[in-house]
């Protein structure tokens, strides 16, 4: 049996399981630019009125879509920066320093990452209320970054573990400080991990829904996920065509990031350069 003959059954199985998803996304795109008859599977005439949120407010009680998009970008990018910066230093310390209780600390990281966000939401709510950060972007940024840190630290430790000690020892013997060795010799070896972690953290922040919904319910701190929820919340006046158009607008940056940075994202399963 040839290689092509062996792979066709797998392709057929994947096609069968993927078909519902492809059909769903097809109709999301079609319904966002057309007005089909209720209950009909046949697309109607082209109608861009569903995209009116780009140039006008769909409700006087809601902020502009561009304000919401800026909030979402600020939330996702700041979270990604914090997670990457802190994971880069903490991962190095856990990889290179023989500190007391390191195995227990690493085990604790996995346990923390395993906790669902919803189980901590009440405690987080009380803490933000006490600190005066409830219903602020800064509050949900700090919470999201804290929840993503265990994963980031664990990933970066794995990349640092693959970098040979000899690289650092050679730099120290040449008279460089430990900080300079880390910055100029070690950090370039783990750039694939940094890029992958930065992108994944950004996408995680971009798609976050629960934290902004519960901890930042005000209209001034809305992100795209909660904006979509507000659009569809009133069942009496729900506009599903508008909802699908906003969903397409929401997903376009994610699609572009995956298409452009797919190689960097796959590096999360690899390690650092061997030198």
């Amino acid at each position: 049996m040839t290689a092509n003959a062996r792979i066709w059954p797998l392709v057929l199985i994947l096609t069968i399981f993927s078909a519902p998803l492809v059909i769903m996304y097809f109709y999301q795109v079609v319904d966002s630019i057309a007005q089909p008859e209720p209950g009909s599977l046949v697309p109607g005439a082209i109608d861009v009125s569903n995209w009116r949120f780009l140039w006008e407010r769909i409700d006087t009680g809601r902020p502009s879509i561009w304000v919401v998009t800026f909030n979402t970008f600020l939330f996702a990018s700041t979270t990604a920066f914090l997670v990457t910066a802190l994971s880069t230093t903490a991962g190095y310390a856990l990889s290179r320093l023989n500190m007391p209780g390191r195995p227990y600390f690493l085990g604790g990281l996995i346990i923390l990452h395993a906790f669902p966000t919803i189980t901590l939401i009440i405690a987080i709510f009380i803490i933000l209320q006490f600190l005066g950060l409830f219903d602020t972007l800064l509050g949900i940024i700090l919470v999201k970054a804290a929840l993503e840190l265990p994963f980031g630290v664990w990933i970066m430790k794995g990349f640092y573990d693959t970098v040979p000690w000899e690289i650092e020892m050679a730099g120290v013997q040449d008279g460089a400080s430990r900080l300079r060795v880390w910055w100029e010799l070690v950090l370039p070896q783990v750039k694939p991990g940094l890029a992958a972690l930065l992108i994944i953290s950004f996408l995680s922040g971009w798609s976050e829904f629960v934290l902004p919904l519960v901890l930042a319910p005000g209209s001034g701190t809305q992100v795209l996920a909660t904006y979509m929820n507000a659009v569809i919340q009133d069942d009496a006046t729900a506009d599903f065509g508008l909802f699908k158009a906003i969903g397409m607008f929401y997903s376009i940056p994610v699609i572009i990031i995956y298409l452009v940075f797919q190689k960097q994202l796959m590096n999360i399963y690899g390690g650092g350069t061997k030198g």
Side-chain angles (χ1 to χ4, degrees):
M1 184 180 292
T2 64
N4 288 336
R6 287 195 299 267
I7 202 173
W8 271 112
L10 179 60
V11 172
L12 179 61
I13 293 173
L14 292 176
T15 301
I16 293 173
F17 281 100
S18 301
L21 295 175
V22 174
I23 294 172
M24 178 186 69
Y25 282 117
F26 170 77
Y27 275 104
Q28 179 176 352
V29 175
V30 169
D31 290 349
S32 69
I33 57 174
Q35 292 287 358
E37 293 294 329
S40 174
L41 296 178
V42 180
I46 299 297
D47 184 1
V48 296
S49 63
N50 289 330
W51 291 82
R52 63 188 181 277
F53 63 89
L54 293 177
W55 56 84
E56 66 180 33
R57 291 192 181 189
I58 59 176
D59 191 330
T60 55
R62 299 192 187 102
S64 164
I65 188 67
W66 300 111
V67 173
V68 177
T69 303
F70 175 76
N71 287 345
T72 310
F73 177 78
L74 181 63
F75 171 58
S77 57
T78 308
T79 299
F81 173 78
L82 286 175
V83 170
T84 305
L86 295 175
S87 298
T88 300
T89 52
Y92 178 78
L94 289 171
S95 174
R96 292 302 196 244
L97 303 181
N98 190 20
M99 60 184 67
R102 184 175 65 168
Y104 302 102
F105 186 80
L106 291 172
L109 287 177
I110 298 300
I111 294 174
L112 286 174
H113 187 63
F115 270 100
T117 302
I118 198 66
T119 62
L120 305 172
I121 204 71
I122 296 177
I124 294 171
F125 172 82
I126 295 173
I127 292 172
L128 290 185
Q129 284 275 37
F130 177 76
L131 296 175
L133 295 176
F134 179 73
D135 201 14
T136 64
L137 277 177
L138 177 59
I140 58 174
I141 286 171
L142 293 176
V143 172
K144 181 63 176 177
L147 294 173
E148 292 293 323
L149 263 178
F151 171 77
V153 172
W154 184 269
I155 289 297
M156 288 311 302
K157 177 192 176 298
F159 275 88
Y160 283 123
D161 286 346
T162 64
V163 179
W165 265 104
E166 289 78 7
I167 294 178
E168 292 182 69
M169 293 300 102
V172 172
Q173 290 173 0
D174 288 341
S177 65
R178 194 67 182 267
L179 178 61
R180 186 179 179 185
V181 168
W182 171 75
W183 181 259
E184 296 185 5
L185 297 180
V186 179
L187 207 56
Q189 307 296 319
V190 295
K191 278 185 178 179
L194 288 174
L197 181 60
L198 183 66
I199 296 168
I200 289 175
S201 299
F202 178 86
L203 293 176
S204 178
W206 185 268
S207 62
E208 181 60 47
F209 172 68
V210 174
L211 293 180
L213 178 68
V214 178
L215 304 177
S219 60
T221 53
Q222 272 194 344
V223 296
L224 282 169
T226 55
Y227 184 84
M228 291 182 63
N229 178 69
V231 168
I232 207 68
Q233 196 171 21
D234 188 359
D235 293 333
T237 59
D239 187 340
F240 288 98
L242 174 65
F243 181 77
K244 291 179 181 179
I246 298 174
M248 285 299 303
F249 177 81
Y250 186 23
S251 61
I252 286 173
V254 177
I255 296 172
I256 293 174
I257 288 174
Y258 271 114
L259 292 177
V260 175
F261 298 106
Q262 54 183 314
K263 290 184 179 179
Q264 286 82 354
L265 288 170
M266 291 306 297
N267 283 329
I268 204 73
Y269 302 107
T273 307
K274 284 293 185 181

